[in-house]
Amino acid sequence: MQHFKALGESVKDRLFHLRPEPLHRTSDARLLAVALGATLYSPATRSSLAAGIRKQAGAGCLSTVICLEDAVPDEEVPAAEDNLLAALAELSQDDPDELPLIFIRCRTPEQLLDVGRRAGAALGVVYGFVLPKFENETGRGRAFLAALQLLNEETGRSRASNEPALRAMPIIEDLSTTHLESRVRVLTDNFALVEEFRELVLCVRIGATDMSSAFGLRRSRDLTIYNVKVVANIIGDVVNIFGRPKDGWVISGPVWEHFVNTERVLRPQLRSTPFEAANEGQLRQRILMDNLDGLIRETELDLANGLLGKTVIHPSHVPVVHSMCVVSHEEYLDAQDIAGSIGGGVKASSYGNKMNEAKPHRAWAERTLLRARAFGVARPGVNFVELLEASMR
C-alpha cells in the first residue's frame, strides 16, 4: 500500500520532494492511523462488494469500512452479514497488501464476535472493527473492546508476529458524549478506557451525523460542520480530551455526505486563483459541480483543528482528502527546523515569512513529519491543485 501509487513515475518525480512511504499491514500502528486518509464507507448490502473493494484499492483508497450498522435496514441484517462473509471469502484469495485496510462496522459486541467467528480464515483480510456509538456509561465500550480482545485470542492474531492484531476504531457519536450535561464525564471515561486497551485501538473517529441528529440538524453542501456551532463545540471537546500531543491519539474527521449536484444558496468557497495559476479552470468547474468545494474547505478546517483523515461515502472524495493531506515543502522545512532544534529558541523560517519557535511548535512539527511519511512532501511550488489534478485524471 502506498498513497499516490497509481501515478506514473515521471508524475511523482514532478510532484513530490519526498514520496509517501510504502505501507504494510504490519507497519507501525500510529503511522497507519495517520495514513488512513479518506476512509470509504460501503453498506454490507452492496452487490459485488469484493469487486468494489478491489476497484477502490486501484483508485488509491487505503482504508474502507463495510457497514452492518446504520447503513443497513434492520430487516436486512442477516442478508448483509451473508453478503459480507461471501465478500471476505472472495478477497481472502488476494494479497492483503494489495487491498485497502478493511474494517467492519458492527452493531453490537455480540455481532462482532459472531461475524468474526463465522468468517473463519477469511478474517485474515480484515484489519479491524469500527465500534459505533462508543460509550462506557452502560458498559458498551468495554464490552466491544473485550469482544475484540477475545476474537484476537481465538484467532491467534494477538500472538502471530506476521499478522497484526485486529484493531478497533471507536466512534464518538453517542448521545452521552453529545449532550452537554454528560459530555465531559463520559468523554473522560472513554479516554481512560481506550488508554486501558491502547494496544487494540488504532484511532478515534468522530460521528458528526449522529451528533447533528441529536439536535435535529444537518449541514447543507454550502456549509461545513464547523458552521454548525453545537457540533463544532463537541468536536472541540473531543480534541481537548483525546488530542493532547503527549497521548499520541489520532482523531479522524467526520463524514462528508454530499456527492450529487444540487442548487446552491451561497457562493462557492473555492478561490479561482490557484486553479488559474495551474491552468486548471476546468478542474475547478468539475469540483464545483460535484460538490467537492465544501469537502475541500471542511478538510482544511479538520486539519486546522487537529483532525486527520476523513470518513467519505463516494470514491470522488478520496483524491480530494489525500491531496490535501500532502505536506507542503514550506511546512516540511519548518517542521524539520523545529524538530531539529535543541534547547528551544526562535528563528526565521526557511521561507523567510514567519518565526518558528522550537518549544511551542514541536508537537506540530512531529505530527507534520509523521504525515509527511504517510502522504509525502510536495516539491517547491507544487500546490494542492496540481496534486488533485494528477490524482483525478
Side-chain angles (χ1 to χ4, degrees), residues 68-69 77 81 84-85 104-119 123 129-132 135 138-151 154:
L68 287 166
E69 202 223 6
V77 171
E81 291 179 352
L84 163 64
L85 293 172
I104 301 171
R105 175 169 165 159
C106 287
R107 295 177 169 223
T108 64
E110 293 77 18
Q111 187 185 45
L112 186 157
L113 266 177
D114 181 60
V115 168
R117 288 166 173 166
R118 289 166 60 196
L123 190 65
F129 288 82
V130 173
L131 314 182
E135 52 79 27
T138 63
R140 175 182 171 89
R142 181 173 294 277
F144 258 128
L145 291 170
L148 184 61
Q149 189 174 56
L150 177 59
L151 189 59
E154 291 180 354

Side-chain angles (χ1 to χ4, degrees), residues 42-53 83 87 90:
S42 299
T45 50
R46 178 163 293 170
S47 61
S48 304
L49 193 54
I53 289 174
N83 191 51
E90 183 178 341

Side-chain angles (χ1 to χ4, degrees), residues 94-105:
D94 297 9
D95 179 353
D97 273 330
E98 294 299 319
L99 296 171
L101 295 177
I102 298 172
F103 296 85
I104 301 171
R105 175 169 165 159

Side-chain angles (χ1 to χ4, degrees), residues 13-201:
D13 284 341
R14 175 173 59 85
L15 295 177
F16 287 98
H17 172 72
L18 288 178
R19 295 186 184 188
E21 289 186 12
L23 301 167
H24 306 276
R25 290 159 58 89
T26 54
S27 295
D28 176 72
R30 185 156 188 246
L31 178 60
L32 287 180
V34 169
L36 291 175
T39 300
L40 184 59
Y41 267 56
S42 299
T45 50
R46 178 163 293 170
S47 61
S48 304
L49 193 54
I53 289 174
R54 291 190 185 108
K55 185 176 180 180
Q56 293 166 19
C61 180
L62 260 67
S63 61
T64 188
V65 174
I66 305 172
C67 185
L68 287 166
E69 202 223 6
D70 286 345
V72 176
D74 295 344
E75 67 274 12
E76 295 182 26
V77 171
E81 291 179 352
D82 291 342
N83 191 51
L84 163 64
L85 293 172
L88 296 181
E90 183 178 341
L91 291 170
S92 68
Q93 307 303 311
D94 297 9
D95 179 353
D97 273 330
E98 294 299 319
L99 296 171
L101 295 177
I102 298 172
F103 296 85
I104 301 171
R105 175 169 165 159
C106 287
R107 295 177 169 223
T108 64
E110 293 77 18
Q111 187 185 45
L112 186 157
L113 266 177
D114 181 60
V115 168
R117 288 166 173 166
R118 289 166 60 196
L123 190 65
V125 300
V126 175
Y127 188 79
F129 288 82
V130 173
L131 314 182
K133 299 171 179 61
F134 190 81
E135 52 79 27
N136 205 40
E137 288 281 274
T138 63
R140 175 182 171 89
R142 181 173 294 277
F144 258 128
L145 291 170
L148 184 61
Q149 189 174 56
L150 177 59
L151 189 59
N152 272 312
E153 292 170 356
E154 291 180 354
T155 58
R157 291 278 286 264
S158 58
R159 299 184 301 274
S161 58
N162 61 339
E163 188 64 30
L166 292 160
R167 299 274 182 170
M169 293 200 294
I171 308 181
I172 306 299
E173 59 182 352
D174 187 73
L175 287 177
S176 64
T177 53
T178 297
H179 289 159
L180 181 62
E181 63 272 19
S182 56
R183 185 188 311 157
V184 173
R185 183 188 74 254
V186 180
L187 285 175
T188 303
D189 288 346
N190 285 356
F191 175 80
L193 186 61
V194 299
E195 282 283 308
E196 181 182 342
F197 287 85
R198 192 176 189 100
E199 294 303 311
L200 288 184
V201 179

Side-chain angles (χ1 to χ4, degrees), residues 329-350:
H329 188 258
E330 180 178 343
E331 286 179 307
Y332 180 66
L333 293 188
D334 285 343
Q336 276 195 315
D337 289 346
I338 293 164
S341 176
I342 299 174
V346 61
K347 66 177 182 178
S349 68
S350 298

Side-chain angles (χ1 to χ4, degrees), residues 142-347:
R142 181 173 294 277
F144 258 128
L145 291 170
L148 184 61
Q149 189 174 56
L150 177 59
L151 189 59
N152 272 312
E153 292 170 356
E154 291 180 354
T155 58
R157 291 278 286 264
S158 58
R159 299 184 301 274
S161 58
N162 61 339
E163 188 64 30
L166 292 160
R167 299 274 182 170
M169 293 200 294
I171 308 181
I172 306 299
E173 59 182 352
D174 187 73
L175 287 177
S176 64
T177 53
T178 297
H179 289 159
L180 181 62
E181 63 272 19
S182 56
R183 185 188 311 157
V184 173
R185 183 188 74 254
V186 180
L187 285 175
T188 303
D189 288 346
N190 285 356
F191 175 80
L193 186 61
V194 299
E195 282 283 308
E196 181 182 342
F197 287 85
R198 192 176 189 100
E199 294 303 311
L200 288 184
V201 179
L202 183 67
C203 69
V204 175
R205 307 192 75 85
I206 288 177
T209 300
D210 278 34
M211 290 177 183
S212 300
S213 173
F215 306 102
L217 304 173
R218 186 180 189 182
R219 70 190 181 284
S220 74
R221 61 167 294 195
D222 290 306
L223 302 174
T224 74
I225 199 64
Y226 298 96
N227 296 117
V228 184
K229 295 302 184 182
V230 68
V231 178
N233 289 339
I234 303 167
I235 292 173
D237 288 342
V238 173
V239 173
N240 195 314
I241 291 173
F242 287 89
R244 301 176 191 186
K246 66 180 179 63
D247 300 315
W249 288 108
V250 173
I251 307 170
S252 181
V255 66
W256 180 257
E257 58 189 7
H258 299 283
F259 63 90
V260 176
N261 187 32
T262 52
E263 184 179 354
R264 306 194 75 105
V265 175
L266 303 179
R267 295 179 61 185
Q269 304 175 73
L270 202 60
R271 292 176 57 239
S272 60
T273 306
F275 293 85
E276 293 169 354
N279 296 315
E280 291 294 346
Q282 289 184 342
L283 176 61
R284 181 176 182 271
Q285 289 304 311
R286 177 182 171 187
I287 288 171
L288 295 178
M289 290 296 294
D290 289 347
N291 288 353
L292 298 178
D293 56 315
L295 171 60
I296 291 170
R297 178 62 173 162
E298 187 166 290
T299 303
E300 184 177 32
L301 290 169
D302 286 342
L303 290 168
N305 283 279
L307 310 184
L308 183 60
K310 199 161 189 65
T311 299
V312 299
I313 48 85
H314 194 272
S316 64
H317 300 165
V318 173
V320 175
V321 174
H322 291 174
S323 296
M324 295 201 66
C325 287
V326 174
V327 175
S328 72
H329 188 258
E330 180 178 343
E331 286 179 307
Y332 180 66
L333 293 188
D334 285 343
Q336 276 195 315
D337 289 346
I338 293 164
S341 176
I342 299 174
V346 61
K347 66 177 182 178

